[in-house]
Amino acid sequence: MKLRKAAALFLAALMLLSLAACGGGGGKDETTDAVAEGETGGGEEGGESTGGTFKLGTFLQLTGANSVAGNESNNTLDMCIDYINEQGGFNGATIEKIVYDTQGSPEEAVKVAARLLEEDVDAIVGSVNSAEILAAGQQINDAGVFMMGLGTANTWMAEDWPYVFRATVNNANLATNTVAMLEEAGYTTVAIVNGQDDASLSTADVFEELCGEAGIEVLTRESYQTTDTDFSAQVASIVAQDPQCVYMTCSGEHIGPFVKQLRQGGYKGVLFSKEIMAMRDAEIAGDDNAKYTAASYPYVIYKDVESCDDPEIKEVLQMYVDRYGEMPTTEVVYRVWDTMMVMWEATKIAGSNESDDIVAAMPEVKVEGLGGPLTYDDGTREGYHTSNDWIYIGDGKNKEFSDWLAEDYEAYKTETGREY
Amino acid sequence: MRMLIQLIITGLALGGVYSLISMGYSLIYKASGLMTFAQGDILTVGAFLGLTFYRFLKLPYIVALLLTMAVAFIIGFLLEKGVIRKLLNKNVNAIYIVLATIAVSYIFQNGAQAIWSSKVEYFPSVFSTDSVAVLGVNVQPESLLCIGASMICMILLHFFMTKTRIGTSMRAAAMDSMAAESCGINVSLNTGITWGIAAGIAAIGGIFIGPMYGVYVTLGSKLGTKGFAGAVMGGYGNMYGAMVGGLLLGLLETLVAGYISSELRNLFAYIILIIFLFVKPTGIFNEQAIQDV
């Protein structure tokens, strides 16, 4: 009898846990953020006061193995919405967020995007997973709803979707910069490792093509599936080929374990990544293993607020820490901040919250983003046109790649015993 | 040659993890005649438990390992008593047991996310050194631990099942539960213990691979299916078969990925499973669990 009771309790606990875990799954979390009193008179920035609400739809991966970026995006969206609402909202309209969980599935993204459109949202922000934007973008564009994507793949921005914009980086452009970094260091051979998700695959394709044009030989190209945990075969192949450097388009939960296994397998060379090394990835890889991972990216991730030397980024990070009590572990906080600032500026220029008016205003938008200027006057619907080159030097610090080559490259060679 | 050595060692290490999962499958089948698909996710739970005891509570590694095994044993035992036994008492078709274990595997995944995190968690290395040189190639020390652990588990399980009273009664219960009960064997208790041991073994795999791969909620899902394939290759229900099948699968897929293409790795593993099911369903050790009819 006792055993039956214990079993029943165990099952009940399991059910509760399951329900809790699935809480975000496809469910709606409508957040009406606090609004500053007296805001109906218009925002401080002088936007036209129209009152009412602005329904901002968003679809993000909030559950599953790779949901940390989605959850940090969701947090940052709430933070930005509060910040903008306190200053009058979009042309006096209070922003209300409606969020759906994609569970990391493009199919689910299509469904939740349709639900957002059914709910007559005024604009949409999402997702950090490019495959989800690629799947859901067509219907959003066809519905004539202004959208800003948070993913970094080149594929969905290559579509003819005039209502879809971006205030984050384009990996294909960054691949160009990364090839330039290889040339700057004098590398002539490289190995490529890519995941099978949209952003990883498309970026690796572009990188390989650019290497061919630059005369850099790709000694081997290895891939893995999103469910893989063991990379020993890929590591053995790379170690055997011993390229001068390795380019990784890993993302999510894979980059930390891959870097760790690669280093433990004996490869000590410089690693180039499509994304900046996140602190959580450096921790999983081991700080020493994560050293010498370079990337072209507008901004870097900091260990704590104090170590941030960029005043604008520092302010945003401080807001995040004040609100959530912890540092964000990925750079999506910058992506979302920039995205919301661009959208805010566009609504101010448009003097309206209608999608067609916002789209028409976008070419005039000029915002100083966290990673540099964001402009949309070239017809690409891309905001960032410049980047910065970094290399992780350990202890949560990144250094300008050119400076590192000039000042620390010889020390690196001595430390690793490598010629390159 | 250097690459071959590295692939063999890392392939055997991966195979060692598969073996630990395969052994759970085989043990449950051998002792209860049932199949489960929750072993991979129990491995995930084991990794999270190990993380909690070792990293968060800062207990000594050996204590963390023993506690992880103990908690996993209880989870496995309660799983049998709370779900499997209930269904068996209803005399349901065996397929419902399999479906129930699939449902339980998702509950474990979501439960792990709710309790711990959806982030990849860092599991500190047990060893002071990051890699060790074996025959001139660098390998992760945890890899060697996995190979050793699977061998020790195989030997202990074999002796447990063949030389101990409880092991003998488990096998008797699996062969003919009614006859076993009439001989005074508590079949229900035996089956519960079997599921508990299988969960404990999977949890060992979880705590060992945590430092290699990091710990996250889907860590064991693919490993679970590979472990199943290893069990079939070796001979479903055979302890030695589970060990050999798991090691062989890990080795072969690593060699394919290294010498042919990393894209073909998983494809190759499942093609081997299909080939075995068609050509040699009784596996390498000719276990009669899955027979050609």
Side-chain angles (χ1 to χ4, degrees):
Chain A
M1 197 63 179
K2 281 180 181 173
L3 189 64
R4 288 175 66 182
K5 279 183 181 173
L9 278 171
F10 173 69
L11 282 173
L14 283 179
M15 287 293 290
L16 281 172
L17 289 173
S18 174
L19 288 171
C22 296
K28 186 171 78 171
D29 169 20
E30 189 162 343
T31 309
T32 306
D33 294 273
V35 186
E37 285 184 23
E39 49 100 36
T40 48
E44 289 176 10
E45 304 296 323
E48 184 186 344
S49 171
T50 57
T53 57
F54 183 96
K55 286 164 80 173
L56 180 66
T58 184
F59 57 99
L60 296 161
Q61 183 187 351
L62 301 175
T63 54
N66 195 24
S67 58
V68 60
N71 282 300
E72 290 189 354
S73 298
N74 197 31
N75 287 346
T76 314
L77 264 176
D78 288 336
M79 186 178 86
C80 290
I81 288 169
D82 273 358
Y83 178 80
I84 296 168
N85 278 341
E86 282 166 10
Q87 299 183 60
F90 284 170
N91 292 314
T94 305
I95 306 166
E96 285 184 2
K97 187 191 77 178
I98 304 171
V99 60
Y100 284 113
D101 179 14
T102 62
Q103 302 163 41
S105 153
E107 293 83 3
E108 195 64 22
V110 171
K111 286 186 215 163
V112 298
R115 284 162 76 178
L116 288 172
L117 294 173
E118 277 172 19
E119 293 183 37
D120 262 340
V121 292
D122 294 297
I124 291 176
V125 169
S127 156
V128 286
N129 298 341
S130 289
E132 294 172 10
I133 304 173
L134 192 60
Q138 184 73 58
Q139 61 173 328
I140 295 169
N141 183 75
D142 290 350
V145 173
F146 178 73
M147 174 181 170
M148 295 205 70
L150 297 171
T152 56
N154 57 324
T155 49
W156 54 272
M157 281 300 284
E159 298 288 335
D160 183 22
W161 293 340
Y163 285 86
V164 180
F165 292 78
R166 169 155 69 186
T168 68
V169 294
N170 177 332
N171 280 143
N173 295 342
L174 296 185
T176 309
N177 296 359
T178 307
V179 171
M181 290 168 78
L182 265 67
E183 288 179 308
E184 185 183 359
Y187 296 144
T188 55
T189 61
V190 63
I192 300 174
V193 182
N194 65 270
Q196 297 289 349
D197 60 287
D198 182 44
S200 301
L201 197 56
S202 59
T203 308
D205 287 344
V206 171
F207 180 83
E208 187 171 14
E209 194 180 322
L210 291 169
C211 281
E213 290 169 10
I216 297 168
E217 188 184 0
V218 178
L219 295 183
T220 181
R221 179 167 169 177
E222 304 291 330
S223 68
Y224 64 87
Q225 293 184 357
T226 49
T227 49
D228 284 351
T229 50
D230 178 82
F231 309 108
S232 50
Q234 292 90 333
V235 167
S237 179
I238 291 169
V239 170
Q241 303 273 353
D242 195 25
Q244 291 167 349
C245 60
V246 175
Y247 180 61
M248 313 175 294
T249 62
C250 309
S251 54
E253 71 268 33
H254 297 107
I255 189 161
F258 178 77
V259 169
K260 182 170 189 173
Q261 290 180 45
L262 185 61
R263 295 298 196 206
Q264 288 182 319
Y267 188 79
K268 303 295 179 197
V270 174
L271 310 177
F272 290 86
S273 174
K274 80 174 171 65
E275 288 176 13
I276 201 75
M277 179 59 80
M279 289 305 106
R280 70 190 173 96
D281 294 327
E283 185 182 43
I284 289 159
D287 199 57
D288 272 352
N289 293 328
K291 273 167 70 177
Y292 312 129
T293 302
S296 180
Y297 224 71
Y299 24 60
V300 295
I301 301 161
Y302 299 91
K303 194 168 62 173
D304 47 46
V305 177
E306 290 69 36
S307 60
C308 176
D309 52 4
D310 182 300
E312 281 77 29
I313 292 179
K314 193 167 190 170
E315 192 181 337
V316 172
L317 291 176
Q318 190 62 59
M319 283 172 70
Y320 191 97
V321 171
D322 289 346
R323 186 178 176 111
Y324 298 107
E326 60 181 11
M327 280 286 284
T329 57
T330 67
E331 40 73 44
V332 293
V333 61
Y334 310 146
R335 297 190 204 180
V336 175
W337 180 269
D338 282 343
T339 296
M340 290 303 291
M341 293 305 118
V342 164
M343 195 183 281
W344 193 13
E345 181 67 12
T347 58
K348 284 180 199 166
I349 293 168
S352 154
N353 291 340
E354 294 297 320
S355 283
D356 286 326
D357 296 332
I358 299 172
V359 168
M362 282 300 285
E364 295 175 51
V365 169
K366 286 184 176 59
V367 169
E368 194 53 43
L370 296 175
L374 287 152
T375 57
Y376 294 85
D377 53 1
D378 65 350
T380 62
R381 293 174 282 118
E382 298 271 13
Y384 274 115
H385 305 284
T386 58
S387 184
N388 300 299
D389 300 337
W390 308 96
I391 186 162
Y392 185 71
I393 55 171
D395 198 25
K397 296 189 183 79
N398 284 274
K399 189 168 183 173
E400 286 273 4
F401 187 67
S402 296
D403 293 346
W404 179 79
L405 280 178
E407 297 164 11
D408 305 324
Y409 195 35
E410 292 306 318
Y412 148 83
K413 287 180 185 172
T414 308
E415 180 187 327
T416 58
R418 289 181 66 84
E419 192 181 344
Y420 289 94
Chain B
M1 190 61 188
R2 188 183 149 93
M3 181 172 164
L4 178 64
I5 295 169
Q6 188 155 15
L7 286 174
I8 289 172
I9 293 170
T10 53
L12 287 174
L14 182 63
V17 179
Y18 293 163
S19 296
L20 288 171
I21 298 171
S22 302
M23 273 182 245
Y25 287 126
S26 287
L27 179 66
I28 285 172
Y29 189 82
K30 191 79 177 170
S32 66
L34 299 170
M35 291 178 91
T36 173
F37 283 94
Q39 284 297 98
D41 292 292
I42 291 176
L43 178 143
T44 304
V45 172
F48 273 111
L49 287 170
L51 179 82
T52 305
F53 294 132
Y54 185 55
R55 182 183 157 195
F56 299 145
L57 299 179
K58 302 194 184 306
L59 297 175
Y61 186 74
I62 189 68
V63 176
L65 177 65
L66 293 173
L67 277 175
T68 298
M69 287 169 62
V71 175
F73 176 89
I74 293 167
I75 289 172
F77 186 83
L78 291 179
L79 171 63
E80 198 278 337
K81 292 293 157 219
V83 180
I84 308 303
R85 182 58 47 189
K86 299 277 182 205
L87 289 171
L88 286 173
N89 289 344
K90 288 176 185 286
N91 289 320
V92 298
N93 194 304
I95 189 65
Y96 288 98
I97 306 288
V98 174
L99 291 174
T101 61
I102 292 171
V104 166
S105 73
Y106 283 105
I107 291 172
F108 281 146
Q109 263 188 40
N110 286 317
Q113 181 176 319
I115 294 171
W116 287 283
S117 150
S118 58
K119 300 174 186 174
V120 184
E121 294 287 348
Y122 163 65
F123 198 120
S125 181
V126 188
F127 301 96
S128 55
T129 178
D130 218 23
S131 61
V132 289
V134 178
L135 300 173
V137 299
N138 290 313
V139 294
Q140 294 172 289
E142 287 86 359
S143 300
L144 305 176
L145 201 60
C146 286
I147 300 172
S150 59
M151 286 182 173
I152 291 168
C153 283
M154 178 192 69
I155 293 164
L156 288 178
L157 273 179
H158 175 76
F159 277 106
F160 178 75
M161 293 299 285
T162 57
K163 306 290 180 193
T164 66
R165 188 183 171 86
I166 193 165
T168 306
S169 61
M170 277 179 184
R171 286 186 292 125
M175 276 186 240
D176 189 333
S177 59
M178 197 177 286
E181 271 185 12
S182 66
C183 292
I185 293 170
N186 187 338
V187 174
S188 174
L189 179 67
N190 278 345
T191 315
I193 291 171
T194 305
W195 282 70
I197 293 172
I201 295 169
I204 293 173
I207 197 169
F208 282 173
I209 65 172
M212 294 160 69
Y213 305 145
V215 181
Y216 50 97
V217 291
T218 54
L219 173 67
S221 55
K222 176 58 73 69
L223 295 170
T225 54
K226 294 285 183 66
F228 179 78
V232 171
M233 281 174 64
Y236 207 83
N238 186 299
M239 288 307 131
Y240 291 112
M243 170 83 187
V244 172
L247 286 176
L248 196 60
L249 182 65
L251 188 60
L252 287 176
E253 71 165 62
T254 305
L255 288 171
V256 165
Y259 283 115
I260 303 173
S261 168
S262 46
E263 286 184 356
L264 299 178
R265 174 184 204 147
N266 295 320
L267 180 73
F268 176 81
Y270 295 118
I271 285 176
I272 288 204
L273 172 63
I274 292 290
I275 289 172
F276 263 90
L277 284 171
F278 273 93
V279 179
K280 181 84 170 143
T282 54
I284 298 164
F285 281 73
N286 207 31
E287 185 71 30
Q288 298 300 309
I290 307 171
Q291 294 181 58
D292 219 352
V293 289

